[in-house]
Amino acid sequence: MGGKTLYDKIWDAHWVGERADGMGLMYVDRHLLHEVTSPQAFEGLRLAGRAPWRTGANLATPDHNVPTVRSERVTGVEGIADEVARIQVETLDANCRDFGIEEFGINDVRQGIVHVIGPEQGATLPGMTIVCGDSHTSTHGAFAALAQGIGTSEVEHVLATQCLAQAKSGNMRIEIEGELGDGVHAKDLILAVIRHIGTAGATGHVIEFTGSAVRALSMEGRMTLCNMSIEAGGRAGLVAVDDTTLDYVAGRPMAPSGDDWSAAVTYWKTLHSDADARFDHEVRMDAGKLTPQVSWGTSPELVVNIDEGVPDPAALEDPIKAEVASRALDYMGLEPGTPMTQIALDKVFIGSCTNARIEDLRIAAGIARGRKVRVPQALVVPGSGLVKRQAEEEGLDRVFVDAGFEWREPGCSMCLAMNADRLYQGERCASTSNRNFEGRQGHGGRTHLVSPATAAASAVAGYLADPREMAA
Amino acid sequence: MESFDIHKGLVAPMDRANVDTDQIIPKQFLKSIRRTGFGDNLFDAWRYLDEGDMGKTLNERQLNPDFVLNAARYQGASILIARDNFGCGSSREHAVWALMEYGFRCVIAPSFADIFSTNSANNGLLLVVLAADEIDALFERVQARGFELEVDLQRQCVTADDGASWRFDIGRQHKQRLLSGLDDIGLSLECEAAIRAFEQQHRQRAPWVFQT
């Protein structure tokens, strides 16, 4: 018998058994909740007279809907101007109160984007199974945790049973060797992966990222990588445990300590694929030649190098792909052949569960320092209250504000524009978020996905810009 | 959950690859705390010329005459044919609620995104996967007026009025659940003892998981 993959190991360690209908039950260690995808689940629980199976497994925070302007935040939930959004946040508060679930409320310093706060608190630990009603739950896979986005029916199912009813996915390995050049970051790496394998390239699979380029990444970088596994179609993304993982987890509020820590570390060190493990699908890539990446279309696979031009749909052989490309160019208001660095911007957004951690802000501030923003609006939205506080202690907020960026309160913000932070019809934005779908950042808005370095360089250039030409 | 056995209905085409759940139901409608009320906002940004928002009523909206589902001939459609990777992106189950409330019972495409597939199964929306050339054949046929299909889950086949028929594969468990329409949580809670036993062992092995 062959060895096990990392995914096999975590799956086997959480296998409860088979249901009468043949569906497998997988035990869930951690369940993260937010205001948007949970209200109907709690309602379902109430209607059926059920209680959460293990209250302590759950951790909640409002993030999608919360305003990021200080004046709207100071009075807490009551201060949310959008009544519908306020009711949703109040509903989360009430549900957590009623069911005894721990929640970091809107102005708790620990509040933030659910995928930033889990790791930050040590609620995310290696080897765990983690779910959340949000597709970017894949982020937590950076810790060798099997982390999956789920729908609201499954949120209710997990609350009621502490399990997911699921069939096992396939194993996929993406091995990335080589060293990233200056100005090239984890975000460029994952955009290049999606460009290479496509947005359905990993459908039906759990991706494990391996190779020297992945090992060299910080936990923040690995989170960026795993975060966008979903944009490659993957059920989850994984990175094996190493010292970088253990160093990050040690001392976190919800991480084990003392003897528990030693026992945990002994187990966590087994969380890697065996040398003779078999994968259903393997991809190899070279990080050494990678340049900053930028999306030009309305799907995260429509990506070019920053020093290239807008592609020509007429050059594509596949008629469906050509149709997709020409529709995308039409929506994006772009002409084939235009150099990417000649595309002028209206807004820049630095934030989201992809790129709103302290390292992202340090990289962006390194470029913004001593320079001035030349776009009409540039936002920096920290991923959590603790990221914000850390950045302020390091003086990064001053760097951003002096350059002309707006320094905001934590939340999902303009990544999906459920709150007031948004693009208007025809506006163009360089964004560190994860989706460039039509209307994602606001009805009629046009999104170019980039790294924090490229976003900061673009903000000061007023155009999409190559961060390598703007060294810190 | 609604069960699915045999369904016959009018077919509408959605001739785009990678239709993401942001298109199926845009973000502004996700502020609702209810499970219903999404049908009028299915494909909102494509279906209307004006920007939609919660609380805006239908008679305040301007229909986009060029959007396929607004064509008179597709009114009442309950089967959607689509291209690769339908339902990609956000995990929002609201996308499935919106499709079903609009009237769709079945979507036929060469491939679907994973989370969307699970959400569909949990609501009784049947997803049928056919090969790309079979989908091409369906797109050609949908040009004919009033093109209807019969979808038979038990026999795993899709049949047109003229007798042409396509077989499809579906996971045994998904098929069973769709046919029975049984409550998923109820099914899992039949295993309550097994879950408790697993949990107890797991607590011994990995006590740090249970510290909160």
Side-chain angles (χ1 to χ4, degrees):
Chain A
M1 214 181 93
K4 286 182 176 183
T5 66
L6 173 54
Y7 171 47
D8 294 339
K9 289 182 184 180
I10 304 175
W11 174 270
D12 290 351
H14 292 83
W15 174 255
V16 172
E18 223 170 68
R19 247 174 22 183
D21 66 344
M23 193 67 104
L25 284 180
M26 186 195 82
Y27 189 81
V28 172
D29 292 328
R30 178 74 64 208
H31 184 200
L32 303 167
L33 299 112
H34 62 85
E35 76 277 28
V36 176
T37 57
S38 67
Q40 300 86 351
F42 281 113
E43 188 194 14
L45 216 56
R46 269 197 195 89
L47 288 173
R50 291 172 175 139
W53 180 282
R54 181 163 66 86
T55 310
N58 302 286
L59 178 64
T61 199
D63 57 1
H64 283 60
N65 249 317
V66 297
T68 62
V69 181
R70 182 92 202 112
S71 58
E72 214 178 325
R73 279 289 271 272
V74 282
T75 49
V77 181
E78 292 73 28
I80 302 177
D82 177 346
E83 192 194 347
V84 193
R86 195 188 67 233
I87 290 170
Q88 203 169 46
V89 175
E90 285 170 348
T91 303
L92 179 68
D93 290 353
N95 283 327
C96 289
R97 209 170 38 238
D98 291 354
F99 289 107
I101 289 171
E102 178 158 27
E103 184 198 10
F104 299 154
I106 183 165
N107 282 344
D108 190 312
V109 73
R110 298 167 298 176
Q111 177 270 344
I113 305 173
V114 70
H115 310 307
V116 175
I117 70 166
E120 197 169 71
Q121 292 299 319
T124 300
L125 295 172
M128 274 185 166
T129 47
I130 301 177
V131 298
C132 174
D134 187 282
S135 59
H136 290 108
T137 308
S138 57
T139 310
H140 310 262
F143 293 82
L146 179 58
Q148 307 177 68
I150 57 175
T152 297
S153 293
E154 289 176 296
V155 169
E156 185 182 338
H157 187 277
V158 171
L159 281 168
T161 69
Q162 210 53 49
C163 290
L164 264 191
Q166 194 169 60
K168 197 178 173 191
S169 301
N171 278 291
M172 178 170 185
R173 174 160 62 188
I174 300 183
E175 187 175 358
I176 313 169
E177 296 293 344
E179 203 175 318
L180 289 174
D182 287 342
V184 187
H185 301 281
K187 181 63 163 289
D188 301 304
L189 207 50
I190 188 62
L191 285 172
V193 167
I194 299 161
R195 174 185 182 178
H196 183 58
I197 69 171
T199 52
T203 300
H205 292 77
V206 168
I207 306 171
E208 182 178 350
F209 295 99
T210 67
S212 58
V214 177
R215 296 259 71 85
L217 291 175
S218 65
M219 287 316 292
E220 284 85 352
R222 294 176 190 182
M223 283 189 255
T224 301
L225 197 62
C226 289
N227 173 273
M228 289 187 71
S229 301
I230 183 72
E231 272 67 50
R235 201 69 187 78
L238 286 170
V239 176
V241 169
D242 62 10
D243 288 343
T244 306
T245 323
L246 300 177
D247 290 347
Y248 182 100
V249 173
R252 302 268 159 192
M254 295 163 84
S257 56
D259 288 348
D260 267 356
W261 171 260
S262 313
V265 167
T266 305
Y267 170 59
W268 292 344
K269 284 186 169 169
T270 68
L271 295 174
H272 53 78
S273 289
D274 295 334
D276 57 345
R278 287 227 197 97
F279 288 85
D280 304 302
H281 192 24
E282 297 204 52
V283 173
R284 284 189 181 78
M285 291 179 64
D286 177 10
K289 294 192 186 92
L290 195 66
T291 59
Q293 304 289 295
V294 55
S295 74
W296 55 270
T298 52
S299 161
E301 68 185 32
L302 303 178
V303 165
V304 290
N305 302 337
I306 186 74
D307 52 9
E308 289 183 300
V310 176
D312 186 355
L316 294 168
E317 278 174 30
D318 180 341
I320 291 181
K321 281 189 173 158
E323 165 67 15
V324 166
S326 94
R327 209 193 288 260
L329 286 188
D330 189 42
Y331 180 86
M332 293 295 288
L334 294 173
E335 291 298 325
T338 308
M340 292 309 288
T341 52
Q342 283 180 21
I343 296 172
L345 300 168
D346 302 297
K347 287 180 177 166
V348 167
F349 172 62
I350 298 176
S352 85
C353 58
T354 314
N355 282 127
R357 283 168 278 268
I358 190 68
E359 180 182 275
D360 302 313
L361 302 189
R362 286 179 190 142
I363 291 169
I367 288 172
R369 194 180 311 269
R371 294 191 169 98
K372 289 287 178 200
V373 163
R374 280 194 218 147
V375 287
Q377 189 180 35
L379 298 186
V380 184
V381 185
S384 71
L386 289 169
V387 168
K388 180 168 185 264
R389 188 164 79 185
Q390 170 82 29
E392 287 171 353
E393 280 167 11
E394 296 178 19
L396 305 185
D397 59 323
R398 289 315 318 163
V399 173
F400 286 122
V401 170
D402 290 348
F405 287 88
E406 295 174 34
W407 180 246
R408 295 292 190 90
E409 300 299 310
C412 298
S413 180
M414 210 198 278
C415 173
L416 85 166
M418 277 190 77
N419 70 356
D421 310 337
R422 56 165 294 179
L423 302 181
Y424 290 90
Q425 187 70 37
E427 283 186 334
R428 188 181 297 284
C429 179
S431 176
T432 67
S433 54
N434 40 56
R435 290 188 175 133
N436 51 353
F437 298 152
E438 288 182 23
R440 171 76 179 185
Q441 294 193 287
H443 190 264
R446 293 157 170 167
T447 302
H448 294 276
L449 302 175
V450 293
S451 73
T454 304
S458 302
V460 300
Y463 291 80
L464 287 170
D466 188 337
R468 294 171 302 176
E469 292 165 9
M470 240 180 259
Chain B
M1 172 186 114
E2 243 178 291
S3 63
F4 193 109
D5 186 5
I6 293 181
H7 175 79
K8 187 172 183 182
L10 183 67
V11 182
M14 178 59 61
D15 196 4
R16 297 186 184 216
N18 301 319
V19 171
D20 59 78
T21 53
D22 271 84
Q23 305 316 316
I24 299 174
I25 184 80
K27 90 297 287 323
Q28 62 268 38
F29 306 106
L30 271 51
K31 290 178 196 166
S32 169
I33 56 171
R34 299 170 54 221
R35 220 181 165 106
T36 53
F38 301 103
D40 288 343
N41 302 111
L42 177 72
F43 297 118
D44 199 88
W46 292 342
R47 192 162 147 202
Y48 303 97
L49 294 170
D50 58 320
E51 182 176 351
D53 207 352
M54 285 192 61
K56 227 175 176 181
T57 59
L58 268 190
N59 50 19
E60 295 172 77
R61 307 296 306 276
Q62 293 168 262
L63 280 180
N64 174 4
D66 297 332
F67 181 58
V68 61
L69 293 187
N70 288 337
R73 55 186 295 196
Y74 298 125
Q75 299 315 299
S78 59
I79 298 170
L80 188 68
I81 51 170
R83 297 291 185 185
D84 258 315
N85 204 23
F86 187 87
C88 62
S90 162
S91 59
R92 58 188 73 167
E93 194 163 317
H94 312 63
V96 175
W97 300 336
L99 283 162
M100 293 193 75
E101 202 172 317
Y102 180 90
F104 287 117
R105 292 298 328 270
C106 174
V107 186
I108 306 175
S111 63
F112 296 93
D114 288 338
I115 304 177
F116 179 78
S117 297
T118 306
N119 289 342
S120 297
N122 282 335
N123 287 276
L125 178 69
L126 175 65
L127 305 184
V128 169
V129 176
L130 292 180
D133 59 331
E134 295 173 324
I135 296 288
D136 285 341
L138 286 177
F139 270 101
E140 275 168 34
R141 282 160 184 265
V142 85
Q143 310 299 335
R145 290 209 167 264
F147 178 57
E148 291 200 347
L149 280 174
E150 184 178 272
V151 184
D152 185 334
L153 177 57
Q154 189 66 53
R155 291 174 49 230
Q156 296 180 214
C157 77
V158 175
T159 311
D161 286 348
D162 61 6
S165 186
W166 299 268
R167 279 195 55 76
F168 63 89
D169 289 328
I170 183 168
R172 179 173 55 93
Q173 298 95 338
H174 272 177
K175 179 176 174 177
Q176 238 11 76
R177 276 212 54 218
L178 282 161
L179 285 170
S180 70
L182 282 179
D183 167 33
D184 202 34
I185 295 176
L187 269 173
S188 293
L189 286 176
E190 287 175 10
C191 302
E192 189 172 342
I195 301 171
R196 294 245 176 256
F198 172 87
E199 194 169 47
Q200 207 170 2
Q201 286 173 15
H202 192 42
R203 196 185 287 269
Q204 300 291 320
R205 274 194 314 257
W208 54 87
V209 167
F210 297 84
Q211 281 181 344
T212 55

